[in-house]
């Protein structure tokens, strides 16, 4: 799956199956098992395991028990007054969760902020008023990364990247209608 990376891998005790964690830095991680034929070729599609959310670093004991580390990340948006020397970061007032928020981008009039958040299980784009009120989800791509959102100078659209179709491409979101339009379609990665 080109939208995810493998962050842990272990052989099952019988040597005929692999267990791995599939996900990404900003995508939910899950455990899958891949059964192999006698010639070490896949013997069918991978099987998603019912446990192991956010699993990384795997090991299987001789008894057959699987152990893994779970990656938990809680990143929130802070603000600092750059016009005041010596200012320290303070809470931004933007809605927080126990997962990852950011990076933010203010609308040209300063009234709204768009930011990425994994609060729904995958990284999606969310908009709130600058004071954190009126939070609303703008994208629902359910798995591929949506990030690096930037308001257009006229405030009518938001440019962002997503791996919805495999490679990282540029998309344009119209917040008023929630319409999403893909801008690039080549096989290279557009990321920043």
């Amino acid at each position: 799956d080109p939208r995810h990376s493998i962050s842990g891998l272990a052989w099952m005790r019988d040597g005929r199956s692999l267990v791995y964690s599939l996900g990404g830095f900003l995508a939910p991680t899950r455990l899958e098992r891949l059964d192999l034929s006698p010639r070490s070729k896949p013997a069918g599609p991978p099987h998603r395991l019912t446990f192991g959310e956010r699993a990384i670093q795997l090991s299987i004991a001789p008894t057959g028990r699987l152990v893994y580390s779970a990656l938990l990340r809680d990143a929130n948006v802070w603000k600092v007054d750059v016009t005041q020397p010596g200012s320290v970061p303070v809470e931004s007032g933007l809605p927080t969760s126990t997962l990852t928020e950011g990076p933010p981008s203010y609308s040209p009039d300063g009234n709204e902020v768009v930011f990425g958040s994994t609060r729904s299980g995958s990284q999606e784009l969310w908009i709130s008023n600058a004071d954190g009120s009126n939070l609303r989800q703008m994208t629902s791509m359910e798995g591929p990364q949506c990030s690096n959102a930037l308001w257009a100078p006229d405030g009518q659209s938001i440019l962002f990247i997503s791996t919805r179709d495999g490679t990282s491409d540029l998309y344009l979101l119209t917040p008023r209608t929630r319409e999403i339009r893909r801008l690039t379609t080549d096989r290279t990665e557009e990321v920043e």
Side-chain angles (χ1 to χ4, degrees):
D1 185 336
R3 295 174 294 184
H4 296 92
S5 61
I6 293 176
S7 58
L9 178 69
W11 281 101
M12 294 292 288
R13 190 167 177 222
D14 64 8
R16 295 185 192 147
S17 299
L18 293 169
V19 175
Y20 55 91
S21 67
L22 182 69
F25 180 67
L26 295 170
T29 304
R30 63 181 185 264
L31 289 179
E32 292 186 352
R33 187 188 80 236
L34 180 64
D35 297 325
L36 302 174
S37 70
R39 294 181 172 258
S40 296
K41 303 276 185 194
H47 305 283
R48 186 172 182 169
L49 303 182
T50 59
F51 58 90
E53 184 177 335
R54 303 196 185 284
I56 58 171
Q57 303 166 332
L58 314 174
S59 184
I60 298 178
T63 61
R65 294 193 67 144
L66 170 72
V67 295
Y68 60 87
S69 298
L71 178 64
L72 298 175
R73 185 168 185 256
D74 180 6
N76 295 308
V77 178
W78 292 72
K79 66 181 178 180
V80 65
D81 185 349
V82 295
T83 64
Q84 298 296 318
S87 289
V88 296
V90 296
E91 290 185 24
S92 67
L94 294 179
T96 63
S97 72
T98 58
L99 298 172
T100 303
E101 272 70 54
S105 175
Y106 280 98
S107 61
D109 63 10
N111 292 330
E112 294 180 301
V113 178
V114 62
F115 59 96
S117 176
T118 57
R119 69 183 63 225
S120 66
S122 58
Q123 187 175 25
E124 303 289 353
L125 296 183
W126 296 71
I127 290 179
S128 75
N129 292 344
D131 66 2
S133 64
N134 195 24
L135 177 66
R136 56 217 183 268
Q137 186 173 344
M138 290 286 112
T139 61
S140 295
M141 295 189 177
E142 300 178 3
Q145 171 187 4
C146 294
S147 63
N148 297 46
L150 293 172
W151 287 89
D154 65 4
Q156 300 302 306
S157 57
I158 297 170
L159 180 69
F160 70 99
I161 62 168
S162 177
T163 55
R164 175 168 70 178
D165 296 313
T167 59
S168 180
D169 284 300
L170 297 174
Y171 289 79
L172 202 60
L173 164 69
T174 305
R176 186 176 39 79
T177 62
R178 296 189 186 185
E179 176 189 351
I180 295 173
R181 185 168 46 106
R182 185 176 175 183
L183 298 178
T184 59
T185 58
D186 57 84
R187 305 282 305 156
T188 58
E189 303 278 339
E190 286 78 42
V191 292
E192 292 292 334

